[in-house]
Amino acid sequence: MRLPVGLRALWSRRAGVGPDPMPGFMPGECVLMPFDVVRRTYESKMRLRQGDEEAQRRTGGTEEITVWRPSWIPFASIGADAVAGLCVDAETGRIWYWCEYAERSVQFESLTDFMEEVADVLEVPLLAAEAGVGLMHGFLVWGMPQDAAERAAWEPLAG
């Protein structure tokens, strides 16, 4: 499968973020997934899909269950365990939210729309849906940290 140009460009700037505890530098406390985590997550989701397809063949089911589509490429996770995050549909360009409980929803029409929202919030932090955008130990953080020690190190991003 070919990676969308925008995703290749994003990964060329930074091929993932290190292990937790690492603040999320994208909205929703997402972090860019390293390639090995992308591969493992994709393979795991495709195994789930194959299991559902096999179960439907055995039972004669015809209802489409969207566990995972082959064109979905995960690129951002919420936390280091990659049980929830964002993926880009390589066919449509849409950005989907996914989680381990099979919740799926379109979040952005394109990676460009997603990155434009990131840029808008960096220019005007009050636009952030989270409590605020700030810096913690020199890292960009979306939202006020819950942990007291992290909250003490957090400072609002001026804008």
Side-chain angles (χ1 to χ4, degrees), residues 100-121:
E100 66 181 329
Y101 303 110
E103 290 178 37
R104 309 287 184 262
S105 60
V106 174
Q107 298 296 299
F108 298 93
E109 287 300 312
S110 68
L111 190 59
T112 300
D113 289 349
F114 172 71
M115 296 309 294
E116 283 178 358
E117 182 161 312
V118 171
D120 289 347
V121 172

Side-chain angles (χ1 to χ4, degrees), residues 140-156:
L140 182 64
V141 180
W142 298 80
M144 177 75 73
Q146 299 298 314
D147 179 75
E150 290 178 353
R151 210 171 25 255
W154 185 88
E155 54 188 88

